Amino acid sequence: MKYVCEVCGYVYDPYTGDVDHGIAEGTPFEDLPDDWTCPLCGVEKENFSPET
């Protein structure tokens, strides 16, 4: 499932991960480290919601 940043609209896709920030492809959103932040605007995971 993809998750969307409520602040800037960035979409976290587990298929692609966030390799630029050390998150491997295939990493589910739930398994992201607690200190992971949006790569575009820097907000915390709590500001993401499931894509509908």
Side-chain angles (χ1 to χ4, degrees), residues 3-25:
Y3 280 75
V4 180
C5 177
E6 298 169 355
V7 175
C8 73
Y10 169 80
V11 177
Y12 176 78
D13 184 349
Y15 180 77
T16 57
D18 183 13
V19 293
D20 291 341
H21 297 97
I23 306 300
E25 297 172 353

Side-chain angles (χ1 to χ4, degrees), residues 20-43:
D20 291 341
H21 297 97
I23 306 300
E25 297 172 353
T27 303
F29 185 81
E30 296 79 14
D31 292 345
L32 292 173
D34 290 338
D35 63 350
W36 180 83
T37 58
C38 177
L40 294 184
C41 70
V43 298

